[in-house]
Amino acid sequence: MPEIRNFTLNFGPAHPAAHGVLRLVLEMDGEVIVRADPHIGLLHRGTEKLAETKPYNQSIGYMDRLDYVSMMCNEHGYVLAIEKLLGITPPERALYIRTLFDEITRILNHLLWIGMHALDIGAMSMFIYAFREREDLMDAYEAVSGTRMHASYYRPGGVYRDLPDAMPQYEASRFCSESEAKRLNENRQGSLLDFLEDFTQRFPSYLAEYENLLTDNRIWKQRLVNIGIVSPERALQLGLTGPMLRGSGIAWDIRKKQAYAVYDQVEFDIPIGTNGDSYDRYLVRMEEMFQSNRIIKQCIAWLRKNPGPVIADDKIAPPKRVAMKQDMEALIHHFKLMTEGYCLPVGEAYAAVEHPKGEFGCYILSDGANKPYRLKIRAPGFTHLAAMDEMARGHMLADVVTIIGTQDIVFGEIDR
């Protein structure tokens, strides 16, 4: 009989379940994975080097494009590092707004994750439901920043502007009847905070819908339970963070352990898993959405009662438009800020946030110029992808899709 040898299979790079341009070279023994070798760099965009050629305030928009599902959380890590070097603290209202939008972003990320993860595995309806809720939160992004994705809303010293008192309205058209427009505008008659409060009241019932569809679903459990198990000890050794680490039973969350913004002033719990498999990571992310909803409610209550400035009155903040029309010095400051930016003191700083996918950090080395001498980004997905070989070995080819989904990777940050 001829000798049976393992064969090599290309998974991607243009694969619908690769969540980006991942080329995974799989060594197969029949249907069983013997070795998984991730090939990255096919989306390389040189973000870190580009940021080293531009003033600090012109690189905020690059952060949005790293993980294009968790935009404002990326910005947060970057502006925190700048604030560390400058030694400034944003106003308290700005910190509450940042916390509010970090948690909105966490829900946005997890909704897309559960929609895509379920779609990869064969559950078609979840994708539609998840995008239904995402629409409301993307409207909140648009209301504060003018754009639905790449917001550039966080600034060193605070945020771009305060929360709006009115929400955009749907208009009747040939695609939307007057009665339908009226129905869609029912919860848009007040401020952004009113709109978000309405969302937080509805969202737990939506989460219950997702749970009813998936959590005890026999097929869902067959595809996730005991797939991609990572022990607590191995999770630490591999450098896993976020839901990947908490799914293995380790209650590490930067929001609690190294609190930033106002996370030390709001109440929430850290969900953890027990088995360290894909099903536990699913349960962790579902509970995280519920906890984010809790935090958003607390932020809304505080923001209603406490008006105030949202950006530090400092040389790094642009002057108000009214001041520019009346004062030539303010106008000159505006032009210098927008063209030359500002200089940071000589030194280095690292700041990390609890990104929806794990620890997202920015390391800045300053030589005193108006742009970083070095910028290094710590992307959570990069570390998680390195665990792919170990998580996939011994599993079937179909389980590779489950493991990629449970890692929740986005290649903008991996190939940065």
Side-chain angles (χ1 to χ4, degrees):
M1 288 181 65
E3 183 185 353
I4 299 173
R5 295 186 179 182
N6 294 344
F7 66 93
T8 304
L9 179 72
N10 267 316
F11 183 102
H15 191 285
H19 294 219
V21 279
L22 165 65
R23 179 183 178 223
L24 201 58
V25 180
L26 301 174
E27 188 181 332
M28 309 283 296
D29 179 7
E31 277 285 308
V32 178
I33 310 293
V34 176
R35 182 168 175 269
D37 183 14
H39 288 219
I40 63 171
L42 299 163
L43 187 70
H44 183 58
R45 48 178 72 174
T47 301
E48 292 161 335
K49 286 300 164 192
L50 280 168
E52 290 167 12
T53 67
K54 297 185 183 299
Y56 289 101
N57 55 341
Q58 291 182 19
S59 293
I60 297 170
Y62 283 128
M63 301 300 124
D64 290 300
R65 290 157 176 82
L66 289 166
D67 176 357
Y68 33 79
V69 189
S70 304
M71 297 72 70
M72 289 198 200
C73 288
N74 302 336
E75 295 175 22
H76 204 164
Y78 179 66
V79 299
L80 274 180
I82 292 174
E83 286 165 359
K84 263 192 180 180
L85 276 168
L86 286 171
I88 60 172
T89 304
E92 192 172 12
R93 184 172 175 85
L95 295 177
Y96 267 94
I97 292 173
R98 283 184 182 179
T99 306
L100 172 76
F101 272 95
D102 274 14
E103 296 311 310
I104 288 172
T105 305
R106 196 174 314 280
I107 294 176
L108 278 170
N109 181 93
H110 288 355
L111 284 174
L112 184 75
W113 166 79
I114 190 57
M116 297 301 297
H117 189 32
L119 191 64
D120 289 345
I121 289 170
M124 305 288 288
S125 302
M126 271 306 307
F127 185 78
I128 309 298
Y129 293 149
F131 268 72
R132 176 187 62 186
E133 275 67 79
R134 272 176 60 86
E135 280 304 303
D136 280 346
L137 297 179
M138 296 309 286
D139 285 348
Y141 254 59
E142 187 175 9
V144 296
S145 70
T147 180
R148 288 164 57 83
M149 282 189 69
H150 305 311
S152 297
Y153 180 59
Y154 291 8
R155 302 293 162 85
V159 294
Y160 167 50
R161 60 182 175 187
D162 209 342
L163 304 177
D165 294 326
M167 285 294 292
Q169 305 283 307
Y170 283 96
E171 294 182 1
S173 69
R174 63 195 180 99
F175 304 108
C176 180
S177 65
E178 284 194 24
S179 59
E180 179 67 7
K182 187 176 180 182
R183 184 189 68 79
L184 291 169
N185 288 329
E186 281 176 0
N187 61 350
R188 295 164 181 272
Q189 300 308 308
S191 66
L192 173 64
L193 289 178
D194 295 328
F195 178 75
L196 288 172
E197 189 166 28
D198 176 73
F199 177 84
T200 58
Q201 291 166 0
R202 292 182 283 117
F203 191 55
S205 66
Y206 298 145
L207 283 175
E209 281 182 21
Y210 307 160
E211 295 263 16
N212 289 337
L213 278 167
L214 296 178
T215 302
D216 289 321
N217 184 299
R218 178 169 54 88
I219 303 169
W220 182 251
K221 292 180 81 170
Q222 284 174 342
R223 292 300 307 272
L224 268 68
V225 173
N226 293 331
I227 302 299
I229 294 175
V230 183
S231 68
E233 299 77 21
R234 197 66 188 126
L236 287 171
Q237 290 166 356
L238 289 166
L240 305 187
T241 54
M244 290 288 292
L245 180 63
R246 293 190 285 274
S248 293
I250 297 176
W252 174 264
D253 190 313
I254 295 174
R255 295 173 295 173
K256 288 272 192 186
K257 307 296 184 183
Q258 299 170 1
Y260 56 97
V262 291
Y263 282 110
D264 55 345
Q265 298 175 47
V266 293
E267 293 180 5
F268 64 100
D269 300 318
I270 304 174
I272 59 170
T274 54
N275 195 33
D277 60 6
S278 294
Y279 189 67
D280 272 4
R281 291 187 282 272
Y282 154 74
L283 293 174
V284 163
R285 288 186 175 102
M286 294 299 281
E287 179 60 22
E288 279 191 7
M289 285 194 275
F290 181 80
Q291 296 300 327
S292 291
N293 203 55
R294 268 181 76 190
I295 295 171
I296 291 169
K297 283 182 176 178
Q298 294 169 66
C299 290
I300 290 169
W302 190 93
L303 287 164
R304 285 192 187 283
K305 297 174 185 174
N306 298 275
V310 295
I311 192 163
D313 186 15
D314 200 83
K315 290 180 181 179
I316 61 168
K320 290 183 169 56
R321 289 185 180 274
V322 175
M324 283 192 286
K325 291 177 181 178
Q326 298 171 350
D327 184 1
M328 180 59 74
E329 197 171 308
L331 186 63
I332 292 169
H333 171 55
H334 169 79
F335 280 119
K336 283 186 71 67
L337 192 65
M338 294 303 138
T339 55
E340 297 177 14
Y342 42 81
C343 296
L344 263 59
V346 175
E348 58 185 346
Y350 175 78
V353 298
E354 188 61 42
H355 188 279
K357 292 175 170 62
E359 179 180 335
F360 177 91
C362 280
Y363 167 78
I364 293 176
L365 178 62
S366 169
D367 60 356
N370 65 339
K371 51 183 176 282
Y373 179 74
R374 283 289 179 270
L375 173 70
K376 176 65 181 170
I377 294 163
R378 195 270 181 205
F382 183 80
T383 309
H384 297 161
L385 189 60
M388 173 62 71
D389 178 40
E390 191 168 317
M391 291 175 72
R393 285 189 184 191
H395 287 301
M396 308 290 277
L397 176 60
D399 297 328
V400 172
V401 173
T402 303
I403 293 167
I404 291 173
T406 198
Q407 288 190 348
D408 190 16
I409 52 178
V410 165
F411 271 79
E413 64 172 19
I414 291 170
D415 282 351
R416 65 197 178 278

